[in-house]
Amino acid sequence: MPLFRQLEARPERERGGEKLKRNRRRECSEEDEDEPSSLTRLCLLSLAENMKDMWVQDYAQNYMDQYFFRYIMGPFSSLPGDLLEELLCLLSRRTLLSRAALHLLLLPQLHSLSLSHSCNLVTANLCSLISTRCQSLRSLNLSGALNVSAPALCSLLGSLSLLRYLYLAGTLCDRSVMATVAQQCPALKHLDVSRCVHLHPVALLPLAHSSGLKCLTSLLALDIGLEENEDDGTATAAFLLLGLPSLLQVALDNAGQACTMICKQEFGPTEGFTSKDRVASLQELWTRRIQGGDGEEHSFSLEEKLDKSVDLGKSRADGVRADKGSQETTVKLGIREIQSVSLDSLDAVGQLCPDLHSVSLNCHDEDDSGDDEGSGFRRMTLLTKGLATWSGQLRCLSLQFPGPLSELVTPLQVTGSSLISLTLEGVQADGHLPFLDLISACPKLTSLTVHIDPPRSNQEEEEDDEDLEDWNLPCLPDLRSLTLNFFLDERQLKPVLCWRSLRGPLWALLRGAPQLQKLSLIATPCRLDPVFRLVLDHHSKPLNALDQPPLRCLRHVNLKRSDVTMETMARLVNTCHRLSTLDLSGCWSMTLSNITKLQGKASRRRHKLQITWT
């Protein structure tokens, strides 16, 4: 066995080093392409598949539980950090990562470490090894690690002063961990503490103190704690929005209400909250933002500062004091992405965050007594008016919408021209025409996800195949990911085939998206055999479709609980040479014999195909 000692960290290659790292991370995250893999990647793949029977086995049997090595100089210590990171990624993806392998690969040259897919391996002892050996870490992902206590996390983070990206979602993180992060990780840019049940919103306040994380650009803290006082949660969110001037991405449970509080300057009820936690009042933070303080003054030139002071002095000399309405327009947050916004707070978010590129919106209204026309019209009006603020600039939109799909057509026509990602949850199908209008309103989409209730009554019959040229259906030529998840009661074994006219929009989406890589059609309320037959056999194209063959780029297909037969699946496997996963769970027309034949076809392919069927 090699000697065990500390290895001096190697200097990074400056020219092209970061670009090379990004390329290797991208190679690790992507599936195999048709082009041959690089020699480096082939070597790492071979190493990942064979290291268990060589170095890992030897270390596990003879050293791991008998000794504690602070540093290891062994077969992997000569690898540069970017190759170590890619090797760890490959082991994790292929479920080959073990405790012994981690002991061998935790080396000083690591700059990025992600254990979210192997969170069961993360213990207090492993955290001690990380803090000792990997003090140059810039990125650490421990999401889902429930075997590590808060004191162990504090001890670990106290030794990682260079961290810029920290992921602690679903851990035992609490107030003490947040205090440690605020004090010991001054360069932190991204923090994810979502789903931490022991972390209350108030515990986030140290992040925005005068000595807090002024470089923090991304804060994700959804579904944290057991919030006893909603007002404290709203006040905390407002404090963070005003006290962290560099924030670009925000995911807080009360972000929308906090924006409303800031716009209306309703800071009086929060004085007890701020004095109890010994932090600056919201009024003070708001005043600092108005005056360009809290870390923003460095962005002004000397002439701008002089002009600003002259204008301020002039207003005071004239005895003029701006009213609240005029002051509201002077406070602007630089946030580009925000989650957990309610429909009633959308207007306030638009006033504070005029540069938004991504928004996640909940359109459920607790005041609505039902799905009557009045509530539907109110939803549509508020949504259209609110989204118009970011018309032409919004790129990602996620909506939880309890009404029919037709009510979303107008709002999407206002803002859909610039969208590249659209997610709809809880919508109700009311015919195929609104679905086609949605496609027309968002021509640049690369990702479309719709969780939808199927029609409550039978829709019109399907058209003849010969009429394809007359359909003139729109398409999404840039689409790479399509998910249509139709609600199905758990008591139902299969969906009711009540939406046969959906065949047309499905044909347009599949035929008109030659770059489609991920397809999920779950519990589809129409037969899929005619859809795939139209896509593969007919040369007709939707409007503005590219002249390229369809489905050639598909890698992941999920057809759970849909009506599809062996003949169609065989053609799909033969056509989609890059296909790596095929989920046919609950497809009642498929038999065990069919699956065996498909697996036989898949075994003769160059690319591995994993088929799931129950």
Side-chain angles (χ1 to χ4, degrees):
M1 191 68 185
L3 296 175
F4 294 82
R5 67 174 178 84
Q6 180 175 2
L7 177 71
E8 295 181 0
R10 294 174 174 232
E12 292 289 341
R13 287 170 293 182
E14 295 181 0
R15 181 173 298 180
E18 290 300 323
K19 183 177 180 180
L20 183 62
K21 284 184 180 181
R22 286 195 297 268
N23 290 339
R24 281 177 174 158
R25 288 195 192 104
R26 178 172 52 82
E27 288 178 4
C28 180
S29 61
E30 291 180 351
E31 299 293 333
D32 296 336
E33 298 283 354
D34 286 341
E35 295 78 13
S37 300
S38 66
L39 180 59
T40 301
R41 182 171 179 81
L42 288 174
C43 291
L44 288 175
L45 286 170
S46 176
L47 182 59
E49 293 174 355
N50 294 285
M51 63 182 294
K52 179 180 179 181
D53 298 328
M54 298 176 65
W55 301 283
V56 173
Q57 184 177 3
D58 176 67
Y59 177 77
Q61 291 178 354
N62 302 316
Y63 299 95
M64 183 170 62
D65 294 324
Q66 289 83 354
Y67 304 94
F68 177 81
F69 300 106
R70 291 177 62 85
Y71 298 96
I72 294 181
M73 184 177 179
F76 308 103
S77 57
S78 59
L79 288 177
D82 51 352
L83 290 182
L84 271 178
E85 293 166 13
E86 185 176 354
L87 179 57
L88 279 166
C89 178
L90 288 173
L91 289 170
S92 180
R93 275 183 51 201
R94 295 166 181 261
T95 63
L96 298 174
L97 193 60
S98 62
R99 187 163 65 99
L102 269 178
H103 279 222
L104 293 174
L105 297 176
L106 290 177
L107 295 167
Q109 58 265 42
L110 275 179
H111 284 176
S112 177
L113 178 61
S114 177
L115 299 175
S116 59
H117 296 293
S118 307
C119 54
N120 58 311
L121 298 177
V122 183
T123 61
N125 289 335
L126 186 69
C127 289
S128 178
L129 283 178
I130 296 173
S131 63
T132 301
R133 300 179 182 178
C134 308
Q135 296 185 5
S136 298
L137 281 179
R138 266 65 166 178
S139 175
L140 178 62
N141 190 341
L142 299 179
S143 297
L146 292 174
N147 298 326
V148 185
S149 63
L153 288 174
C154 291
S155 178
L156 169 62
L157 298 174
S159 62
L160 303 178
S161 60
L162 300 180
L163 272 183
R164 296 182 181 179
Y165 303 91
L166 179 59
Y167 305 83
L168 298 175
T171 64
L172 301 181
C173 174
D174 63 5
R175 178 189 289 266
S176 62
V177 177
M178 288 298 95
T180 301
V181 169
Q183 295 171 7
Q184 304 297 332
C185 305
L188 200 64
K189 292 185 177 181
H190 175 92
L191 177 62
D192 185 359
V193 290
S194 302
R195 308 186 310 278
C196 293
V197 296
H198 297 283
L199 181 67
H200 294 272
V202 177
L204 300 175
L205 291 178
L207 303 178
H209 281 179
S210 58
S211 59
L213 305 178
K214 298 305 179 184
C215 297
L216 194 65
T217 60
S218 176
L219 176 60
L220 310 181
L222 291 175
D223 302 322
I224 62 173
L226 301 174
E227 195 171 325
E228 299 178 358
N229 192 333
E230 184 176 353
D231 294 337
D232 284 357
T234 302
T236 299
F239 189 91
L240 294 170
L241 293 178
L242 292 174
L244 294 171
S246 300
L247 274 184
L248 298 177
Q249 181 185 20
V250 176
L252 298 169
D253 288 320
N254 299 280
Q257 295 93 317
C259 288
T260 301
M261 175 184 290
I262 295 172
C263 277
K264 296 181 178 180
Q265 297 185 52
E266 296 177 343
F267 303 142
T270 66
E271 291 181 359
F273 159 80
T274 54
S275 61
K276 177 182 64 175
D277 288 276
R278 299 180 180 179
V279 295
S281 68
L282 290 176
Q283 184 65 49
E284 292 175 6
L285 290 179
W286 185 86
T287 304
R288 291 178 193 172
R289 295 299 293 264
I290 287 290
Q291 297 174 351
D294 239 8
E296 292 184 347
E297 289 188 0
H298 66 276
S299 62
F300 293 99
S301 65
L302 179 60
E303 293 181 358
E304 289 173 333
K305 291 180 179 179
L306 290 174
D307 293 341
K308 194 173 181 180
S309 62
V310 169
D311 293 340
L312 182 60
K314 183 178 179 180
S315 64
R316 288 177 177 173
D318 294 340
V320 177
R321 181 175 181 84
D323 60 8
K324 288 187 177 182
S326 62
Q327 287 178 347
E328 285 178 11
T329 60
T330 60
V331 178
K332 301 297 180 185
L333 304 179
I335 294 174
R336 300 291 190 273
E337 179 179 345
I338 191 169
Q339 298 183 38
S340 188
V341 175
S342 64
L343 192 58
D344 291 332
S345 61
L346 190 58
D347 183 60
V349 173
Q351 294 181 40
L352 287 181
C353 310
D355 300 323
L356 272 186
H357 291 165
S358 175
V359 61
S360 176
L361 183 62
N362 186 347
C363 297
H364 288 273
D365 194 342
E366 297 179 356
D367 296 334
D368 287 344
S369 57
D371 297 331
D372 56 1
E373 294 183 1
S375 61
F377 179 77
R378 177 180 178 274
R379 277 195 307 260
M380 184 176 64
T381 303
L382 289 176
L383 187 59
T384 304
K385 179 183 177 182
L387 294 180
T389 305
W390 308 292
S391 179
Q393 71 182 49
L394 202 63
R395 297 174 63 81
C396 301
L397 176 63
S398 177
L399 294 175
Q400 295 182 29
F401 193 81
L405 189 60
S406 56
E407 291 183 3
L408 287 175
V409 172
T410 301
L412 291 176
Q413 288 174 340
V414 170
T415 191
S417 60
S418 58
L419 287 179
I420 62 173
S421 176
L422 176 62
T423 300
L424 305 177
E425 298 181 20
V427 294
Q428 302 164 5
D430 54 348
H432 70 282
L433 293 180
F435 197 75
L436 294 175
D437 291 336
L438 180 150
I439 298 174
S440 299
C442 310
K444 297 181 181 179
L445 285 181
T446 62
S447 176
L448 174 61
T449 300
V450 183
H451 298 265
I452 185 171
D453 285 338
R456 298 176 181 176
S457 59
N458 289 334
Q459 299 296 302
E460 59 271 22
E461 293 293 326
E462 49 193 321
E463 303 286 344
D464 293 333
D465 294 352
E466 291 75 12
D467 297 334
L468 283 175
E469 292 81 357
D470 301 329
W471 284 2
N472 292 328
L473 300 183
C475 69
L476 300 173
D478 298 323
L479 194 66
R480 288 173 172 80
S481 176
L482 172 62
T483 298
L484 298 180
N485 190 344
F486 294 89
F487 174 76
L488 184 65
D489 195 303
E490 294 181 356
R491 295 169 294 182
Q492 294 179 257
L493 295 178
K494 56 184 181 179
V496 179
L497 303 181
C498 59
W499 197 359
R500 297 182 179 180
S501 62
L502 181 63
R503 185 192 61 159
L506 286 180
W507 167 79
L509 286 172
L510 299 181
R511 180 62 182 87
Q515 302 179 61
L516 189 66
Q517 298 178 7
K518 180 181 178 182
L519 173 64
S520 295
L521 301 175
I522 301 175
T524 314
C526 71
R527 296 180 62 240
L528 292 183
D529 284 353
V531 175
F532 285 108
R533 188 166 54 245
L534 286 174
V535 173
L536 296 173
D537 293 342
H538 283 263
H539 299 290
S540 301
K541 298 183 299 181
L543 293 175
N544 302 319
L546 301 176
D547 191 14
Q548 297 179 15
L551 307 183
R552 295 299 191 271
C553 296
L554 269 183
R555 297 181 182 179
H556 308 281
V557 173
N558 185 348
L559 304 178
K560 285 182 180 178
R561 301 182 121 183
S562 294
D563 187 1
V564 65
T565 63
M566 172 62 185
E567 179 183 358
T568 298
M569 287 298 95
R571 293 195 62 187
L572 198 64
V573 170
N574 291 333
T575 302
C576 307
H577 300 295
R578 299 184 183 183
L579 197 62
S580 60
T581 62
L582 176 61
D583 194 338
L584 300 175
S585 302
C587 294
W588 60 91
S589 297
M590 301 295 295
T591 65
L592 179 59
S593 175
N594 296 151
I595 299 300
T596 303
K597 292 179 181 179
L598 281 180
Q599 290 174 337
K601 291 179 178 291
S603 64
R604 297 189 291 270
R605 294 159 41 102
R606 178 186 171 212
H607 296 282
K608 294 181 179 179
L609 174 59
Q610 179 183 354
I611 302 177
T612 304
W613 177 78
T614 54

